[in-house]
Each structure stands twice: as structure tokens, then as C-alpha cells.
Amino acid sequence: MIQRISADVTIIGGGLVGSSAALAMRQAGLAVVLIDKGFCGAQASGVNYGGVRRQGRPPEQLPLSQRAHGIWPRLKALIGIDGEYVPSGHLKLARSEADFAKLEAYAETAKPYGLDLELVSAAALKTRFPWLSATGAGASLCPGDGHANPRLVSPAFARAAEQAGVKVFEQTPVRDVRATGSGFAVLAGENVEIRSRQIVNSAGAWSDTFAAQFGESVPLTRIYPSMVVTEPLPLRLPVSMGEQGGSFYGRQVARGNYVMGGGRGAALADPDFSRPSVTAASSVMQRAIALFPHLANAQVIRFWSGTEAEMPDGNPVIGASQTTPGLFHAFGFCGAGFQIAPAVGEVLSELVATGQSSTPTDAFSIGRFSQAAAQTAVSL
């Protein structure tokens, strides 16, 4: 028997963006259906590093990132758990004078946005961070940044949305979606038919398929993080950290495990899945030992990867469709969507309800790709 549902909004994709949007929309009084072809929060939202980082983002993302910065401390009230969120600070190390100059320039650019970045000279590194064995030309510290556990946070947003009254369908792949003139019709799973006035495409690495159905092709590519976690060790790393221009990032959780990443994994024959790369994992471990020699004999207990979406300009797609009224997009976060996702959810709720957001999103319009294609065609 077909299960027919009417709603104000259908959200395709139950990752952290889709789930946080569902919760925000439900809190705004909208009837919402959230659909995921697998389990909510199991793809990019659940396999990422867990950095809750503003530092290093392009300036156009900083208003959105600042909005998210105000949400993370309220997680327990919002979704029932704190998600192991820790405002530990984020330290970015510069290995060369050229890299430190880039940190200085970024600090100047980011000054109007309130990140409160602190530049640390090479001479002060050892005094300020005696646990850091590597030498460097300096560093930049963002004291309000931190980290959290994506495997807890992402599914918790979906559960909170469901408890608030959102109809959540997991393991329910979308078979067809089309505009009806008065809204949208979605066929999902074996017997679910949804009619809604508006629809949100937040299907992560699979969002380009839905966008193309409405005449909005985008140059989305898939990327696969390569992550490593060690056995629990004595607590020594108090901040989340990365390297300017490098591919290593790491943090230590309260249980003592080091969570580290860098490089890329590899796709499997089934594009829904990927595997860690031996080469990338080995590089991560070698770079970790260079920073923290005490990890030389640590046991690695798990490797993992996942599937994320990347856009060529390093920015996500967020906002209204340029071809279809009532369609909104939110995808392509380039491996850096975890921190800003709760704010993206609020922005989507505002866009759906009023057509505009208090946070600027023009830089993330899907129309920028059609404009770029048109300019390329003219130049040819």
C-alpha cells in the first residue's frame, strides 16, 4: 500500500545539514519530511575529522561560521547531548616563513569577523606549547575553536528533529522527484509518496544528480578523507591543530585517543563507499610522529574513510535554485561542513520560510557555475 504524505518541505539527505535544517524548520512550525537513502549522519557528516573550526575558512564563509559558533555551545539544549564538543582552541602551525606570512595576512583579513586570532612567534612556540616537538616559523591560535564527535552529533540532530515532529525515513532512496506546478512530488523507497510545496537538496556527494534533474549541472567531485585513530594515551595535546599549507590535522579526545587525518582515501567499485589509503594513512602517522615523537610506538586501532563532495572554488552551494521556484540547495562543503552545518540549517529554514536570510549567502549561489560556464563559452 502506498504511503501518501503531505508536507510543507521535503528534505533529501539526512546528513548534518539536512537534519539541522529539518529541526530548525520544525521549530519554525513547518511540516517537514526528511529522507535518507541510508542512515542519517552516516556519510560525510559522520566520517569527518570533527573539527569545529573557523580559522582558515574563506572570508565569505566567516559570517556563516560565526553564526554556527554561537550554536555549538548550546548543543545539549538543542539536541539533548553535548556531542563531546570541546572549545579547545585551534592551532595552525607554519613550518616556513612564507607560511607564517600567509597566517599573518589571513589574521588581518579575518579581523573584522571577530575570530580573535593570536599570532605566535617562532620564539614563543616552545614556551606556549611545550608539548609541540616540531620546530616552526610561528603559528596562529584561534582560542574559541574546538572539536566534537561527528558520530554522535550528526545522528543526534536527526533524532531531535524526529522528536520535534519531523517525519524521518531512513534506508529510503529517492526514486523520482519532479515539480508539479504547485510544488513537488517525491517517490521514495517501495511505497512512499510525498507532496510538498518546497524541497531541499542536501544529498551530499549525490546532490549533483538531483540538481541536474532541474537543469542545474554543477562541477561536483567526490573526495575521500583518510582518517586514523590511536589507542588511548596520556593527555598531552590540549588543542585541535593543523599545518598551514600541509595535509595533517589532529586532536586528542578526553579518552586519550589521537584522531588524525590527511590525504585521501580511494573509491570502491560501488561509488557509495570508499576505503582508507595505505599511503595516506602512513603519511599521516609519519607527520604525527614528527610533531609528537611520543606517538612513535603508539598503536593505531582504526582507519576509516567516507564520501564527501567538493566544489572547484572551495565553497559550498547554499541557496535557492535558479531554475525552479521552491527548490533549495545545500551541498558541496569540501570536507569542511561540520562546523558550519548547524548554521546552514538555520539559514535554510529562513530561506524556505521568508525567501531571505539574515546571514549572507550570495557567494554560495548555484548560479555561479552557470555564469562561469557562460563566460568560458564566450572566451572560446
Side-chain angles (χ1 to χ4, degrees), residues 25-47:
M25 290 176 193
R26 185 70 197 111
Q27 291 174 333
L30 298 174
V32 184
V33 177
L34 177 66
I35 310 173
D36 197 278
K37 66 182 180 63
F39 292 99
C40 291
Q43 287 289 348
S45 296
V47 303

Side-chain angles (χ1 to χ4, degrees), residues 291-313:
L291 290 167
F292 315 113
H294 62 277
L295 294 182
N297 297 314
Q299 298 294 311
V300 171
I301 61 174
R302 186 159 57 94
F303 303 89
W304 75 91
S305 185
T307 306
E308 301 177 339
E310 184 173 63
M311 309 310 295
D313 60 2

Side-chain angles (χ1 to χ4, degrees), residues 214-251:
F214 294 95
E216 296 183 293
S217 296
V218 292
L220 179 152
T221 57
R222 294 181 175 188
I223 57 175
Y224 311 96
S226 189
M227 305 298 302
V228 175
V229 63
T230 72
E231 64 182 318
L233 296 164
L235 294 175
R236 296 181 66 171
L237 178 59
V239 299
S240 176
M241 71 168 297
E243 293 179 296
Q244 172 64 34
S247 59
F248 173 84
Y249 41 92
R251 62 189 179 93

Side-chain angles (χ1 to χ4, degrees), residues 11 25 47 52 55 61-62 95 107 143 150 155 164 190 197 214 216 225 249 309 337 366 371:
I11 300 175
M25 290 176 193
V47 303
V52 183
Q55 178 169 217
Q61 289 188 23
L62 291 178
R95 294 289 199 142
E190 296 297 322
R197 294 184 295 104
F214 294 95
E216 296 183 293
Y249 41 92
I366 196 168
Q371 292 167 5

Side-chain angles (χ1 to χ4, degrees), residues 28 57 107 175 278 300 321 369:
R57 292 183 179 276
R175 294 187 288 114
V278 173
V300 171
S321 165
F369 298 110

Side-chain angles (χ1 to χ4, degrees), residues 50-52 84-88 145-149 238-240 251-253:
V52 183
E84 297 181 0
Y85 167 65
V86 179
S88 61
D145 285 356
H147 56 88
N149 188 334
V239 299
S240 176
R251 62 189 179 93
Q252 190 176 22
V253 302

Side-chain angles (χ1 to χ4, degrees), residues 259-304:
V259 180
M260 302 173 291
R264 300 295 186 208
L268 298 178
D270 182 340
D272 283 3
F273 300 96
S274 63
R275 61 175 174 78
S277 160
V278 173
T279 301
S282 177
S283 175
V284 167
M285 291 185 287
Q286 292 302 318
R287 293 176 79 85
I289 292 169
L291 290 167
F292 315 113
H294 62 277
L295 294 182
N297 297 314
Q299 298 294 311
V300 171
I301 61 174
R302 186 159 57 94
F303 303 89
W304 75 91

